[in-house]
Amino acid sequence: MPKLRFGKGGQPLTDSNLLLVITVSIFAAMYIISMIAFGGGFLNPQQFLNLFNENASLIVLACGLSIVMVTAGIDISVGGVTALVTVCCAVHLQGQGGNVPASLILALAIGVAFGLIQGLLVAYLDVQPFIITLAGMFLARGAATMVEVNPITVTHAGFAALRKIEIRIPGIGYYAKNGNFINSKIELGVIIALIVLIAVFAMFKWTRFGRNLYAIGGNSQSALMLGINIKRTKFFAYLLCGGLAGLGGFIYLLHTGSGAVTQATGTEMKAIAASIIGGFLLSGGVGNILGTLFGVISLVTINNIVVSMGLKGPWWQGITTGAMLCFFIVLQSIIMSRRNGGKAVRPIWMRKSREIGS
Amino acid sequence: MKETVLEMRNISKEFPGVKALQNVSFTLREGEIHALMGENGAGKSTLIKVLTGVYSMDSGQICLSGKPIKIKSPQDAQAFGISTVYQEVTLCPNLTVAENMFIGRGKYSFVKWAEMNRKAKMLLDNLGIPAKPAQQLASCSLGVQQMVAIARAVDMDCKALILDEPTSSLDEQEVVKLFSLMRDLRSRGVGIVFVTHFLEQVYEVCDKITVLRSGEFVGEYSVEELPRLDLIAKMMGKELSSLSEISEAASMVHESESDFVYEAKNLSGSNGTKPFDFSIRRGEVNGFTGLLGSGRSESVRTIFGADKALSGDIRVGGKPARIAKPFDAMKARIGYLPEDRKRDGIIADLSVRDNIIMALQVMRGAFRPFSKQEAEDFATEYIELLGIKTASADAPVGSLSGGNQQKVILARWLLTHPDYLILDEPTRGIDIGTKVEIQKLVLRLASEGMAITFISSEIEEMLRVCSRMIVMRDRNVVGELTGSELTQDKIMRTIAGGAANAQA
Ligand SMILES: Nc1ncnc2c1ncn2[C@@H]1O[C@H](COP(=O)(O)OP(=O)(O)OP(=O)(O)O)[C@@H](O)[C@H]1O
Ligand SMILES: [Mg+2]
């Protein structure tokens, strides 16, 4: 296969960027085809922006997951933490003296607490991240039930005001039936999510910590010998992921306005799927955070397409999400192995260690 | 007397079942190149890893410029001015070349890509390393990766530089470059520890030699007082008389007019190998020679199907055959020991036994597993035959010394008893005693009827075992030498081109 040469100075693209290009192209193709085939909602800029409005919290959670996944780790507690945060914040806001800043701090504190404990166990005691965050997931949901069994709708005035904030984008919009031009809008959560995304992007690209994360995912033994403190780096990865889960929970509450144990069920899996689609391989060391964003909106778009095709049954969403994940993983592995000279057909011990995964 | 840079006193280290180091002492002085010698598994790499904080020692003391220090991690070692190139390339394949040179060093919180790439480019250019700063490391050859690791180490402002078998994957020109670099650093007062199994290299650059044997300290000598044969005797712990076998192997002659095992006409490969004809008979040992990058490894990869063939008529045992992938070759009873074993060969977490029987298992098919006893017997046989130093056949291969890992993969292919065996650098990283054993084994297998292709960057070694040499340059076969033509001089001239063609 001829080497792709899009990178700077005629360099072949790095694996991370190659995967990003694939994700973005597929999303663009998918969206453009839908615009042509289904028209309607797909032509409405608001529907495009709703991809973000409805998934701001997922974007934040997926950013956190990308951070741990690039170190070849995983965190499946984020959905549970989100639920716990919505419940705790709702209880706080509905109680006496509840106020918005305190609820935000509460959300972050809950997330950081989970990240702290999980990070300590994974990094310093070498506990399997899957196991420990599985425990974290159960713990978070359990704690949420303990705090409040019934769903709570937040009626706190300050919070409601915050929920109403929406940013109209000048020049972009559509004509309503009565002929008025309606500007498209995005919610406050989206702004926060995009700031997080940019911050994570900058961290990955320009900070020592960010690059150390990639080094650890590439080969943790080598990273150690290159003088990287892998324990501390891993610890902070989980800490950050936890903190982002807390923030994601707050945004979730901001979007839905109600706290409940059942909120965000399966969100951790969606966040993992979004990261994988975005190019973060489970084996670690590759991925570009912009890919994660496209991973999130691809996941949602495919569901919209299914609905547009008239497949209304709720099971279709699960099936298409599964199929798409499968498609991406197969595509990625084909491209990555072709890139390494078609060595995937070799018996396992003859492959590059990178293909096997460390 | 020069100042002592680094002193290790009475270091002991035990792994489960192995006393890797027992009361070993080592002294490195300013501005000296100090060879650390010993057979495979003697404890050289372990000593180095103890020094750099990868392993913690059981007892002993490390002093830097006379002061006792504690080194708990490679990070500490770097901070104390000890920079290291480990035996296995320990870089991150997913990062760029420049990042690999600078990550984990110094004090910074933000990455300045432009500056880093510029510095990296300067270093790469200075050392003549054919890599671009922004290139992903995985796309570089092993030799280049090794040079990148070296560039990283020498760029650090260090008091002590440790090089664990840096030359095993370098070609001659790169070795020359490395040596001039080492001499330069020596003149600036850096103490250098150098590990290698190439004795000539020791005598070319080193001032001092410390010998280890089975984890014990044998002695420290200056190069002048320890001639080659004494050094070998010190490493092996044997008397000189038993070493005369070394030259004996060379005297064997082998000629045969038997059947062709493998024939290829007009074979060319997707890896850039230009079309060539090649055939080999039963009981013959031939070699591909040429400079690194001349295509000698690529040719055999094409024969084995490890790289795709673009054209060629292939006959195996006289019958037309199709070899599109390694599995086809294995079914046609061809075995191949790859050059790049660190990447293509070892599965570190599997036991020595499983690694040995792996290829044979594939040939038998996955549904006919070996009985425990059979596997045990095979493993024991080859562990003994090649002198593999391991705590047991159950130990994971990753816990073996570098040289012993190589022996395990060699055993894997020898066990399959193929009709035609391709060995690409089978003795790389293997100590001198075992090298001779392997050469003898190759000749014995040939006398039993096996056809063998033997590739080595040491021409003397090839002259000892090969009865026919195919000379390559720029991915072309440029000559074929047999019988009395097989001299070092003649080979060199053919590689260089010109004279040889005129006489042919
Ligand atoms: N991580 C480990 N776990 C268990 N045993 C080990 C480990 N590392 C090394 N050993 C054992 O310690 C001994 C010394 O190994 P070491 O790697 O130091 O040898 P070496 O002198 O570097 O040999 P070589 O020339 O083959 O590289 C060997 O017997 C090896 O099996
Ligand atoms: Mg070693």
Side-chain angles (χ1 to χ4, degrees):
Chain A
M1 183 170 121
K3 284 231 165 82
L4 284 162
R5 286 183 186 279
F6 296 130
K8 277 186 211 141
Q11 291 296 321
L13 285 173
T14 58
D15 290 347
S16 301
N17 291 344
L18 177 65
L19 292 170
L20 173 68
V21 169
I22 296 169
T23 307
V24 174
S25 326
I26 291 184
F27 172 77
M30 201 159 75
Y31 209 87
I32 291 169
I33 291 172
S34 309
M35 278 159 83
I36 296 165
F38 305 116
F42 283 99
L43 296 174
N44 184 342
Q46 186 60 53
Q47 183 171 334
F48 180 76
L49 292 177
N50 281 349
L51 294 179
F52 295 82
N53 286 336
E54 319 229 308
N55 294 289
S57 109
L58 182 57
I59 292 173
V60 174
L61 297 184
C63 283
L65 263 156
S66 296
I67 294 172
V68 295
M69 279 170 70
V70 85
T71 68
I74 197 87
D75 183 348
I76 55 174
S77 71
V78 296
V81 171
T82 302
L84 179 61
V85 165
T86 61
V87 172
C88 290
C89 289
V91 167
H92 168 79
L93 286 166
Q94 291 306 96
Q96 264 193 347
N99 70 67
V100 175
S103 70
L104 177 60
I105 290 169
L106 180 66
L108 291 176
I110 292 171
V112 166
F114 271 84
L116 185 86
I117 292 167
Q118 290 172 167
L120 283 176
L121 291 172
V122 170
Y124 292 96
L125 294 181
D126 263 332
V127 186
Q128 277 288 323
F130 182 84
I131 312 269
I132 188 61
T133 57
L134 182 68
M137 174 178 113
F138 287 125
L139 191 76
R141 295 252 179 223
T145 320
M146 212 163 72
V147 173
E148 179 59 65
V149 185
N150 302 313
I152 315 166
T153 307
V154 180
T155 53
H156 183 274
F159 192 76
L162 207 60
R163 289 193 60 204
K164 282 218 198 69
I165 297 179
E166 45 187 44
I167 293 92
R168 299 264 162 199
I169 301 177
I172 297 176
Y174 59 97
Y175 288 97
K177 289 210 176 74
N178 58 11
N180 287 345
F181 186 78
I182 300 175
N183 274 325
S184 297
K185 58 168 197 266
I186 51 173
E187 293 173 10
L188 181 62
V190 178
I191 305 289
I192 303 176
L194 291 182
I195 291 172
V196 167
L197 189 83
I198 292 167
V200 173
F201 179 84
M203 178 197 81
F204 270 151
K205 175 115 202 200
W206 288 296
T207 69
R208 177 182 197 145
F209 171 70
R211 300 317 297 171
N212 288 355
L213 292 171
Y214 277 88
I216 290 175
N219 186 335
S220 67
Q221 194 61 27
S222 294
L224 176 72
M225 307 241 197
L226 289 172
I228 292 168
N229 189 336
I230 56 175
K231 293 195 163 138
R232 198 174 61 198
T233 311
K234 271 194 190 171
F235 167 71
F236 278 111
Y238 283 87
L239 189 70
L240 260 176
C241 182
L244 288 177
L247 182 62
F250 188 78
I251 297 176
Y252 200 100
L253 185 64
L254 211 53
H255 182 69
T256 59
S258 85
V261 183
T262 50
Q263 297 282 42
T265 357
T267 303
E268 58 280 341
M269 293 304 155
K270 275 195 205 153
I272 294 170
S275 292
I276 291 176
I277 291 172
F280 284 83
L281 305 184
L282 279 175
S283 47
V286 288
N288 184 322
I289 195 71
L290 298 180
T292 303
L293 175 69
F294 282 91
V296 171
I297 56 180
S298 299
L299 269 181
V300 193
T301 303
I302 194 87
N303 287 338
N304 291 349
I305 292 175
V306 170
V307 173
S308 300
M309 279 161 63
L311 304 170
K312 293 264 156 52
W315 55 86
W316 283 112
Q317 310 230 334
I319 290 173
T320 43
T321 306
M324 178 153 96
L325 193 59
C326 208
F327 168 75
F328 264 93
I329 290 176
V330 171
L331 185 77
Q332 283 170 357
S333 62
I334 290 174
I335 289 176
M336 296 305 268
S337 68
R338 293 223 67 179
R339 186 161 221 228
N340 296 329
K343 282 168 192 153
V345 288
R346 292 205 218 159
I348 191 156
W349 74 89
M350 299 200 69
R351 289 185 209 161
K352 291 186 181 175
S353 51
R354 200 153 58 91
E355 289 171 40
I356 303 169
S358 59
Chain B
M1 194 73 196
K2 287 180 193 156
E3 290 281 313
T4 306
V5 178
L6 204 62
E7 196 176 355
M8 304 180 75
R9 269 188 235 132
N10 303 326
I11 308 278
S12 297
K13 171 78 193 171
E14 193 173 332
F15 292 112
V18 193
K19 286 204 171 101
L21 295 172
Q22 298 174 56
N23 269 322
V24 173
S25 297
F26 183 83
T27 311
L28 181 69
R29 291 163 206 86
E30 244 177 31
E32 79 175 7
I33 301 181
H34 197 138
L36 183 58
M37 303 292 294
E39 293 188 291
N40 295 134
K44 305 177 295 291
S45 301
T46 306
L47 185 66
I48 288 168
K49 287 183 179 169
V50 164
L51 172 63
T52 61
V54 178
Y55 298 147
S56 60
M57 55 193 171
D58 299 340
S59 64
Q61 195 183 33
I62 299 173
C63 296
L64 186 76
S65 313
K67 283 191 282 295
I69 53 168
K70 286 236 177 318
I71 298 177
K72 291 202 211 70
S73 69
Q75 228 182 342
D76 291 350
Q78 278 182 24
F80 281 121
I82 303 169
S83 69
T84 315
V85 175
Y86 296 93
Q87 185 170 7
E88 323 81 42
V89 175
T90 48
L91 299 174
C92 292
N94 58 329
L95 303 183
T96 69
V97 168
E99 282 193 279
N100 269 295
M101 290 164 77
F102 291 99
I103 201 164
R105 287 172 47 185
K107 291 201 172 12
Y108 66 96
S109 298
F110 296 96
V111 182
K112 298 189 188 81
W113 286 90
E115 189 185 324
M116 181 172 81
N117 284 340
R118 191 173 46 75
K119 276 198 210 151
K121 183 160 180 5
M122 249 164 51
L123 264 171
L124 292 170
D125 288 350
N126 267 346
L127 301 177
I129 303 170
K132 299 208 183 86
Q135 191 178 358
Q136 197 173 321
L137 187 83
S139 63
C140 301
S141 73
L142 196 69
V144 170
Q145 295 192 14
Q146 184 75 48
M147 285 303 281
V148 169
I150 292 170
R152 172 190 167 92
V154 301
D155 183 51
M156 284 191 238
D157 196 13
C158 60
K159 296 194 191 103
L161 173 65
I162 298 166
L163 303 167
D164 193 354
E165 290 193 41
T167 53
S168 65
S169 44
L170 300 185
D171 68 22
E172 249 164 82
Q173 291 146 358
E174 286 167 330
V175 170
V176 170
K177 266 184 250 164
L178 174 64
F179 284 178
S180 72
L181 200 67
M182 284 164 66
R183 291 198 185 95
D184 183 40
L185 287 171
R186 169 170 64 186
S187 67
R188 286 196 256 146
V190 177
I192 300 175
V193 181
F194 181 55
V195 179
T196 183
H197 288 292
F198 297 106
L199 299 190
E200 324 77 81
Q201 296 183 349
V202 173
Y203 288 95
E204 198 182 329
V205 287
C206 295
D207 309 304
K208 282 267 160 50
I209 302 176
T210 289
V211 178
L212 300 183
R213 186 168 65 231
S214 313
E216 287 175 52
F217 177 76
V218 176
E220 192 201 86
Y221 314 88
S222 69
V223 182
E224 302 82 50
E225 67 175 320
L226 195 70
R228 255 173 125 95
L229 286 182
D230 289 349
L231 171 59
I232 297 172
K234 289 260 186 309
M235 286 179 359
M236 296 177 54
K238 284 189 200 160
E239 282 310 307
L240 281 172
S241 57
S242 59
L243 288 168
S244 54
E245 293 167 17
I246 288 181
S247 45
E248 206 173 286
S251 60
M252 292 208 196
V253 195
H254 22 136
E255 214 134 321
S256 65
E257 284 304 317
S258 46
D259 313 327
F260 285 112
V261 174
Y262 175 93
E263 293 164 89
K265 284 234 153 39
N266 210 20
L267 186 65
S268 69
S270 60
N271 50 28
T273 318
K274 309 267 168 57
F276 67 101
D277 296 347
F278 172 75
S279 59
I280 187 164
R281 297 171 188 276
R282 270 169 58 82
E284 185 186 337
V285 183
N286 82 348
F288 282 81
T289 185
L291 299 175
L292 206 86
S294 61
R296 49 178 206 221
S297 297
E298 284 78 2
S299 310
V300 294
R301 290 182 73 86
T302 314
I303 291 174
F304 188 65
D307 288 337
K308 223 172 86 193
L310 293 182
S311 68
D313 297 324
I314 293 163
R315 291 172 160 268
V316 175
K319 288 193 246 351
R322 216 180 88 82
I323 295 179
K325 52 183 187 297
F327 189 58
D328 298 339
M330 286 164 73
K331 277 194 296 194
R333 302 190 54 79
I334 300 174
Y336 168 57
L337 174 76
E339 169 193 38
D340 189 355
R341 285 183 288 287
K342 282 177 194 140
R343 270 200 324 211
D344 286 347
I346 269 290
I347 300 188
D349 292 335
L350 280 187
S351 69
V352 171
R353 184 192 320 111
D354 292 341
N355 267 286
I356 289 179
I357 64 167
M358 187 173 284
L360 193 58
Q361 182 69 71
V362 169
M363 282 165 127
R364 260 174 61 140
F367 300 109
R368 294 171 53 212
F370 293 103
S371 73
K372 194 129 203 283
Q373 190 55 45
E374 270 178 300
E376 199 61 58
D377 291 346
F378 284 140
T380 323
E381 182 188 342
Y382 279 87
I383 286 173
E384 207 156 298
L385 188 67
L386 298 176
I388 299 173
K389 275 197 198 127
T390 172
S392 79
D394 284 317
V397 167
S399 74
L400 266 56
S401 81
N404 283 305
Q405 294 187 5
Q406 314 250 24
K407 293 185 199 168
V408 168
I409 307 180
L410 183 60
R412 175 192 296 167
W413 289 107
L414 292 176
L415 177 63
T416 59
H417 268 282
D419 293 337
Y420 174 29
L421 180 60
I422 303 168
L423 301 172
D424 196 352
E425 302 274 7
T427 60
R428 173 187 287 168
I430 284 184
D431 65 53
I432 183 128
T434 317
K435 242 180 212 176
V436 177
E437 291 303 316
I438 289 174
Q439 290 161 14
K440 283 199 280 192
L441 186 67
V442 164
L443 293 174
R444 200 189 81 209
L445 290 171
S447 71
E448 288 167 6
M450 196 185 285
I452 296 169
T453 290
F454 189 99
I455 297 180
S456 167
S457 30
E458 287 176 90
I459 290 194
E460 307 87 55
E461 183 178 48
M462 292 187 73
L463 287 172
R464 224 169 280 155
V465 295
C466 298
S467 55
R468 187 158 60 95
M469 294 257 246
I470 291 153
V471 184
M472 301 201 56
R473 186 191 333 128
D474 296 335
R475 314 212 161 205
N476 270 312
V477 174
V478 291
E480 196 170 317
L481 307 174
T482 49
S484 60
E485 294 175 316
L486 282 177
T487 62
Q488 191 149 356
D489 178 55
K490 179 88 184 178
I491 292 171
M492 292 316 259
R493 274 195 291 161
T494 316
I495 288 176
N501 298 342
Q503 285 173 19

